[in-house]
Amino acid sequence: MATSITVHDVAKAAGVSASTVSRALSGNTAVAAETRDRVVEAARQLGYRPNLAARGLITGTTHNIGLVVPDLENPYFASITKSVQSRALAAGYSVFIADSDEDIRTELELVHQLSKQVDGLILCSPRMAASDIAAVAGQTMMVLINREWEGLTSVVVDDAEIIRLALEHLHALGHRHIAYVGGPEKSWSNQKRWAAIERIAPTFDDLEVGKVGSYAPNFDGGQSAADVVVASGATAALAYNDLVGLGILARLTTRGIRVPEDLSVMGIDDVNVATLVSPGLTTVRSPLKKVGRSAVNSLVDLMNPTDRHSAPEDLPVQLVVRQSTSVPQQHS
Amino acid sequence: MATSITVHDVAKAAGVSASTVSRALSGNTAVAAETRDRVVEAARQLGYRPNLAARGLITGTTHNIGLVVPDLENPYFASITKSVQSRALAAGYSVFIADSDEDIRTELELVHQLSKQVDGLILCSPRMAASDIAAVAGQTMMVLINREWEGLTSVVVDDAEIIRLALEHLHALGHRHIAYVGGPEKSWSNQKRWAAIERIAPTFDDLEVGKVGSYAPNFDGGQSAADVVVASGATAALAYNDLVGLGILARLTTRGIRVPEDLSVMGIDDVNVATLVSPGLTTVRSPLKKVGRSAVNSLVDLMNPTDRHSAPEDLPVQLVVRQSTSVPQQHS
DNA sequence: TTGTAGGCGTTATCAA
DNA sequence: TTGATAACGCCTACAA
């Protein structure tokens, strides 16, 4: 803060009025070339930077956006956050970050705290109730990631295609009994993924997919689930996401159960850490970078209704085969 | 934005003036209890939220802070970011996030972009030149993480103690030839860590610590380094950080070199992913959560000079022994 | 205890 | 093309 320099300082230095400085620098209105040069030079010398808050007060546009995520330490959200902020920067926006720590009340509070100082909000995998989303949607422009709501713009990965690729891969290897290790009941993605399984599994010959409980969407959740998976008699586990997959992997290793010889394990998303372990985790890649970028693009379109809307980006998912899956062992 | 409700709307609804509304809600000045209740009720009904940008314009305080990090996808920075935003929320601040993507120019640009809309800035492991830090420091309140500069508040983990714990552990196991796998030359932490090694290693009997090149501070860097480490003849590798350690681990596994039987590997920091692999990575834990929290506390102290300063938190590091280290094998 | 007036830094409107 | 003036939403003297 200190006593930062304002338009008036620049105006005095350049020997013009404050309004002329504003015009010269924002470049909207015509200014005499010579005057503008003088103003620009003065601004440069003084190191003038406009106060965006003040500008926003009158233009009604802050050039800030907000991003709300459930957990920044989850590499899934870290990747999305990184791409959101990168794209926002390129589009001339600064971004407020808000980590709800998976808590619904915090999530809502953060949204309210931010809504007044941003032009728009991106809600990533929001856990909040639909009614709250609807209420908030009236306050500010909004884009949803991994959730849909009538009238709101959404960016979602194709869960059905993810499931199809995963089942296809395991079925092709010869697996006929697969355990799906579920994520949080309230997670929209988890619901979609299980629904897709129920719809798609019957399209494969002789394939049985059982659902194993509901677990926290992280490493610990996977560790908890592993023993139940083993007991289920399935020859392959499909985890709700990579972190759960890694948890399963770790627990199986501890028990001396070999992967993939004794049991195949698949994750979903291909977050960065999936390559860190050995055996590497077979997974279906979600285009997280594109998700973040696309969400920003959509939001920018929403906030600037005049501009030509950019074509919606498609978000291809892709099977990534590593060492954690193989043909099932014959019964010994 | 839409046409959001202002103090005037509340004033009209409550049958008072705008200034009374301001007073009633901010609670600084005395207001008749009955009037205040009426105002508060009216505000609640209308869902009034003050425009913080407008408030900041006059109070000179935005209640926003900014955080600049080199890479959000690095779990080290993700953890710090999470704790920064968590503590900031508790202290009543919203946080701008800025990912420089390890680029010096971007880093500087982000700092400038943010400096006018925040009360203070936290620079985490800044890569920028010292002269730039000095220049920026004049613009806004600032706290540095993992870097020191005269006159500026810093939060740093005790690199010397980290090194001491690591060497003590490996030496106690019987290792006499250790390879330190260096991080980026320009990294302040890397410089401090190597300097600490040169100072501390001689205090152990018969201990030789060699430096193995300079590598990217991530998984790929570790993979690149692994073969050189093996060739060095060292019985243990101490990596610049956990990600490098994991890279080494992975490459060794690929080559069929057993850890810890053939070679012990240590990381530094104990980022979340260190527990994901097996064998688990022995490491020295940096209190990342405390680092973020402490940085916010220091910044808040700086921004509110009147308040009683909170006592500086100490940041204990701690050895975490997992399975990637053991006594060196006898020569076979 | 409350209302009126002024101003924070900027841009938009209107004359000149 | 430029300069005064008003206004954005809010807060804080000052006056009532």
Side-chain angles (χ1 to χ4, degrees):
Chain A
M1 255 7 185
T3 45
S4 65
I5 53 249
T6 75
V7 271
H8 296 98
D9 300 320
V10 179
K12 194 179 298 175
V16 294
S17 79
S19 18
T20 301
V21 172
S22 171
R23 282 186 289 248
L25 295 177
S26 57
N28 299 330
T29 325
V31 182
E34 188 232 350
T35 335
R36 192 190 53 238
D37 291 348
R38 213 165 64 241
V39 170
V40 168
E41 174 57 17
R44 201 192 55 74
Q45 283 208 340
L46 273 61
Y48 167 76
R49 294 256 168 180
N51 182 326
L52 281 73
R55 172 184 292 171
L57 207 51
I58 183 157
T59 62
T61 161
T62 63
H63 270 80
N64 293 150
I65 66 174
L67 172 67
V68 183
V69 297
D71 179 15
L72 272 171
E73 281 181 316
N74 183 322
Y76 182 89
F77 299 117
S79 288
I80 289 181
T81 302
K82 177 153 183 153
S83 72
V84 162
Q85 117 76 214
S86 164
R87 180 75 191 111
L89 177 64
Y93 288 84
S94 299
V95 4
F96 279 108
I97 188 70
D99 182 326
S100 71
D101 206 24
E102 305 268 5
D103 183 72
I104 295 182
R105 289 187 58 82
T106 307
E107 196 175 62
L108 200 57
E109 177 54 32
L110 287 167
V111 167
H112 281 134
Q113 184 176 99
L114 257 40
S115 65
K116 272 295 180 46
Q117 15 189 8
V118 300
D119 295 340
L121 238 37
I122 298 176
L123 266 48
C124 189
S125 304
R127 266 54 164 158
M128 70 177 70
S131 59
D132 287 327
I133 290 187
V136 166
Q139 305 273 330
T140 180
M141 302 281 83
M142 222 164 78
V143 167
L144 264 34
I145 294 180
N146 286 345
R147 185 144 171 189
E148 289 176 326
W149 186 252
E150 41 176 317
L152 293 184
T153 307
S154 281
V155 176
V156 293
V157 298
D158 188 344
D159 284 299
E161 179 65 4
I162 287 176
I163 294 301
R164 199 190 63 73
L165 286 171
L167 295 185
E168 184 181 64
H169 171 65
L170 293 173
H171 186 265
L173 284 173
H175 294 277
R176 292 298 177 265
H177 184 181
I178 300 173
Y180 172 71
V181 180
E185 297 281 7
K186 296 194 132 190
S187 159
W188 198 80
S189 294
N190 184 53
Q191 291 166 20
K192 293 258 294 183
R193 286 172 186 181
W194 176 243
I197 289 174
E198 289 192 304
R199 200 173 66 250
I200 296 172
T203 67
F204 291 95
D205 284 345
D206 191 27
L207 179 63
E208 180 192 348
V209 183
K211 184 177 180 182
V212 169
S214 169
Y215 295 91
N218 51 36
F219 186 79
D220 292 337
Q223 288 203 300
S224 311
D227 298 319
V228 182
V229 170
V230 172
S232 76
T235 60
L238 172 59
Y240 164 65
N241 67 18
D242 289 336
L243 294 178
V244 172
L246 292 178
I248 296 174
L249 233 49
R251 175 64 185 149
L252 294 180
T253 303
T254 302
R255 282 188 57 183
I257 297 172
R258 294 167 306 162
V259 175
E261 291 83 354
D262 301 329
L263 186 63
S264 288
V265 177
M266 269 195 80
I268 292 179
D269 291 337
D270 194 30
V271 295
N272 282 332
V273 297
T275 74
L276 266 48
V277 300
S278 51
L281 186 67
T282 296
T283 186
V284 181
R285 177 176 302 157
S286 298
L288 301 184
K289 290 296 175 61
K290 284 189 181 178
V291 167
R293 190 183 341 137
S294 181
V296 174
N297 286 340
S298 297
L299 189 56
V300 170
D301 286 347
L302 242 49
M303 298 183 301
N304 304 46
T306 60
D307 293 11
R308 201 171 56 245
H309 284 206
S310 54
E313 200 165 1
D314 71 324
L315 305 168
V317 297
Q318 178 190 348
L319 178 72
V320 180
V321 180
R322 299 207 179 89
Q323 298 87 45
S324 69
T325 51
S326 71
V327 296
Q329 205 90 332
Q330 298 294 358
H331 258 267
S332 53
Chain B
M1 256 6 185
T3 46
S4 66
I5 53 248
T6 74
V7 271
H8 296 97
D9 299 320
V10 180
K12 193 179 298 176
V16 295
S17 79
S19 35
T20 302
V21 173
S22 170
R23 283 185 287 248
L25 295 177
S26 58
N28 299 330
T29 325
V31 182
E34 189 231 349
T35 342
R36 191 189 54 237
D37 290 348
R38 215 166 61 242
V39 170
V40 169
E41 174 58 18
R44 202 192 53 74
Q45 283 210 338
L46 273 60
Y48 167 75
R49 294 258 167 177
N51 181 324
L52 281 75
R55 173 184 292 171
L57 207 52
I58 182 159
T59 63
T61 162
T62 63
H63 271 80
N64 293 149
I65 66 174
L67 172 67
V68 183
V69 296
D71 180 15
L72 273 170
E73 281 181 316
N74 183 323
Y76 182 89
F77 299 116
S79 287
I80 290 181
T81 301
K82 177 153 183 152
S83 73
V84 162
Q85 113 81 206
S86 165
R87 180 75 192 111
L89 177 65
Y93 288 85
S94 298
V95 3
F96 279 109
I97 186 71
D99 182 327
S100 70
D101 205 23
E102 305 269 5
D103 183 73
I104 295 183
R105 289 187 58 83
T106 308
E107 197 175 62
L108 200 57
E109 177 54 32
L110 286 168
V111 167
H112 280 134
Q113 183 176 99
L114 256 41
S115 64
K116 269 296 179 50
Q117 15 189 8
V118 300
D119 295 341
L121 237 37
I122 297 176
L123 265 48
C124 189
S125 304
R127 266 52 165 158
M128 69 177 71
S131 59
D132 287 328
I133 291 187
V136 167
Q139 305 273 327
T140 181
M141 302 280 82
M142 219 165 81
V143 166
L144 263 33
I145 294 179
N146 286 345
R147 185 143 173 192
E148 289 176 326
W149 186 250
E150 40 176 315
L152 293 184
T153 307
S154 281
V155 176
V156 292
V157 298
D158 188 345
D159 284 300
E161 180 64 5
I162 287 177
I163 293 301
R164 198 189 65 72
L165 286 171
L167 295 185
E168 184 181 63
H169 171 65
L170 293 173
H171 186 266
L173 284 172
H175 293 277
R176 294 298 177 264
H177 185 180
I178 301 172
Y180 173 71
V181 180
E185 298 282 6
K186 295 194 131 189
S187 159
W188 198 79
S189 295
N190 184 53
Q191 292 166 19
K192 294 257 294 183
R193 285 170 187 182
W194 176 243
I197 289 175
E198 289 193 304
R199 200 173 66 249
I200 296 173
T203 67
F204 291 95
D205 284 344
D206 191 27
L207 179 63
E208 179 193 350
V209 183
K211 185 175 180 184
V212 170
S214 168
Y215 294 91
N218 52 37
F219 186 79
D220 291 336
Q223 287 204 300
S224 311
D227 298 318
V228 183
V229 170
V230 172
S232 76
T235 59
L238 173 58
Y240 163 65
N241 69 17
D242 289 337
L243 294 179
V244 172
L246 292 179
I248 296 174
L249 233 50
R251 174 64 185 151
L252 295 179
T253 302
T254 301
R255 283 188 56 183
I257 298 172
R258 294 167 305 163
V259 175
E261 292 84 353
D262 302 328
L263 186 62
S264 287
V265 177
M266 271 194 78
I268 292 180
D269 291 335
D270 194 28
V271 294
N272 281 332
V273 296
T275 75
L276 266 48
V277 299
S278 53
L281 186 67
T282 295
T283 186
V284 180
R285 178 176 302 157
S286 298
L288 301 184
K289 288 297 173 61
K290 285 190 180 176
V291 167
R293 187 178 348 131
S294 181
V296 174
N297 286 341
S298 298
L299 190 56
V300 170
D301 287 347
L302 243 48
M303 298 182 302
N304 304 44
T306 61
D307 293 10
R308 205 172 52 245
H309 285 206
S310 55
E313 199 165 2
D314 71 324
L315 305 168
V317 296
Q318 179 189 349
L319 179 72
V320 181
V321 180
R322 299 208 178 88
Q323 299 85 45
S324 69
T325 50
S326 71
V327 298
Q329 204 89 334
Q330 299 295 355
H331 259 266
S332 55

